[in-house]
Structures are given as C-alpha cells and as structure tokens.
C-alpha cells in the first residue's frame, strides 16, 4: 500500500507577478519535495531558488522541514530595500 498523499500550496512572487501551485505530495514530504513538484524553475529561471529563504505561513523554515496538509509554502524574494529604510526615507 502506498503512502497517503496530502495537498499543499507553493507560492512564489516577484514584483510583477505571483504564481500559486496546488500540489499533492506523499505524507512525510519536505518543503524541497513540494517545490520540486512544481514547474517553478521553468516559470522563474531568473531566481536562484536554492539560495532563497522559504517558509510556511510566514515563518522561515529550512528546505528539509516536513509539510502538513494545507500548508502554504512560501518562497521569499530579496527586498530591494529594508522596510525601515524605506519608511524613514518617505518621512523625510
């Protein structure tokens, strides 16, 4: 008997677009496994996915973190400017 599959969401966004994948992975799969089931490397060839932070529901996690049913896996892109600096600049 095979492993039970669970459904998770993988999200990636740039400044101009966002992509959401609904994927099924075997129970016990990791963040890396879930990302690998998407076509993200084709959709975003400019991103160095292995160097980008990832998380689940806004909490940074490692690629080997197991996922649970309904998790939203997020791939975080670098910000062009630190939010505190941009707020300070706008207030001047």
């Amino acid at each position: 008997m095979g492993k039970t599959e669970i459904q998770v969401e993988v999200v990636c966004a740039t400044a101009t677009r966002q992509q959401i994948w609904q994927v099924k992975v075997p129970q016990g799969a990791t963040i890396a496994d879930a990302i690998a089931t998407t076509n993200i490397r084709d959709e975003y060839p400019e991103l160095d996915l292995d160097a980008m932070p990832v998380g689940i529901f806004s909490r940074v996690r490692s690629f080997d973190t197991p996922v649970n049913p309904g998790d939203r896996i997020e791939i975080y892109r670098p910000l062009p400017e630190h939010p505190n600096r941009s707020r300070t600049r706008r207030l001047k």
Side-chain angles (χ1 to χ4, degrees):
M1 191 160 126
K3 283 191 174 184
T4 304
E5 285 191 325
I6 61 172
Q7 186 164 331
V8 297
E9 223 175 45
V10 177
V11 179
C12 185
T14 64
T16 58
R17 68 186 177 120
Q18 174 179 306
Q19 181 81 31
I20 300 173
W21 292 268
Q22 299 284 335
V23 298
K24 289 186 178 182
V25 294
Q27 192 166 12
T30 64
I31 289 176
D33 297 331
I35 291 171
T37 65
T38 70
N39 65 343
I40 192 168
R41 293 188 191 276
D42 296 330
E43 290 287 325
Y44 296 90
E46 70 278 9
L47 299 179
D48 181 6
L49 294 171
D50 299 321
M52 297 176 75
V54 295
I56 297 175
F57 293 121
S58 301
R59 294 186 178 260
V60 176
R61 300 286 185 242
S62 64
F63 282 95
D64 61 354
T65 301
V67 296
N68 295 303
D71 278 354
R72 178 183 174 96
I73 299 161
E74 302 157 338
I75 300 167
Y76 305 118
R77 62 186 159 93
L79 296 175
E81 181 178 32
H82 192 280
N84 289 345
R85 275 189 239 147
S86 65
R87 276 192 291 273
T88 302
R89 186 176 35 78
R90 286 193 307 264
L91 292 173
K92 289 182 178 181

